[in-house]
Amino acid sequence: MTDQQTIAIRPGGPDDAATVLRLLDSATAWLAARGRTGQWGTEPASTDPRRIAQADAWAGGGGLYLARLGEATVGALVVGSATAYVPPATEPELFVNLLVTDRAYAGHGIGARLLAYAAELARDRGLGLLRVDCYGGDDRALVRFYEGCGFTATDRFTVERPGRPPWPGQVLERRLG
């Protein structure tokens, strides 16, 4: 694993939407190649008008942060408010809307470093709660990843998607001291 201090994090902006889409495309292809299509399907985000608009909104919304390892952008984090389908928090929180890493750099601690950065952002804002939702289906490997980063699974939920199978979700939270 790379020393997490060598992973630089910078704020993103409107010009970074294409980078977010590239990271999503790469992760979707990696998941699909392993038969793990429940999370993000099989089609590239960069060809889906809904995902393109989402990336544009994230890039322009002030909550995007990019991880860099040397000259390579290797991950993206978006923080803000919880999405409507997630059970609401009972106290002020910072919510992780997106965490995606370049699978070519798996094992470098990029996702964990971005989550640690999200915790720093929450503390800096005087918040004691960091939450995230993720794909909770299949073998729940993603849930275990977040638990390994100090999160505790709380609410399960299902997103109904007309014309597509329901999407099983899991909310996780991390108390910040």
Side-chain angles (χ1 to χ4, degrees), residues 28 31-42 135 138 161 167:
T28 300
L31 288 165
R34 284 149 185 82
R36 302 176 68 92
T37 60
Q39 181 175 339
W40 286 335
T42 59
Y135 179 65
D138 297 328
R161 306 179 305 170
W167 191 85

Side-chain angles (χ1 to χ4, degrees), residues 86-108:
V86 172
T90 58
E91 65 189 84
E93 68 174 343
L94 186 63
F95 197 86
V96 175
N97 301 107
L98 175 70
L99 178 70
V100 61
T101 63
D102 187 330
R103 298 308 302 165
Y105 294 87
H108 285 81

Side-chain angles (χ1 to χ4, degrees), residues 3-152:
D3 179 347
Q4 291 183 356
Q5 300 300 0
T6 64
I7 299 169
I9 298 176
R10 71 162 179 86
D15 293 340
D16 295 310
T19 299
V20 172
L21 290 169
R22 177 188 59 78
L23 289 164
L24 287 168
D25 286 354
S26 174
T28 300
W30 184 87
L31 288 165
R34 284 149 185 82
R36 302 176 68 92
T37 60
Q39 181 175 339
W40 286 335
T42 59
E43 299 302 314
S46 61
T47 64
D48 180 343
R50 183 186 63 81
R51 297 292 272 169
I52 294 167
Q54 190 176 45
D56 286 340
W58 285 332
L64 172 63
Y65 298 88
L66 299 173
R68 294 184 54 83
L69 195 55
E71 295 299 312
T73 299
V74 296
L77 166 76
V78 176
V79 295
S81 300
T83 50
Y85 57 77
V86 172
T90 58
E91 65 189 84
E93 68 174 343
L94 186 63
F95 197 86
V96 175
N97 301 107
L98 175 70
L99 178 70
V100 61
T101 63
D102 187 330
R103 298 308 302 165
Y105 294 87
H108 285 81
I110 297 160
R113 176 66 181 105
L114 284 166
L115 289 172
Y117 190 78
E120 293 171 27
L121 290 170
R123 282 188 203 97
D124 289 350
R125 297 173 188 186
L127 301 170
L129 180 62
L130 180 65
R131 290 197 315 154
V132 63
D133 77 284
C134 70
Y135 179 65
D138 297 328
D139 62 4
R140 296 178 57 83
L142 191 53
V143 174
R144 286 193 306 279
F145 164 76
Y146 284 111
E147 289 173 335
C149 291
F151 286 78
T152 301

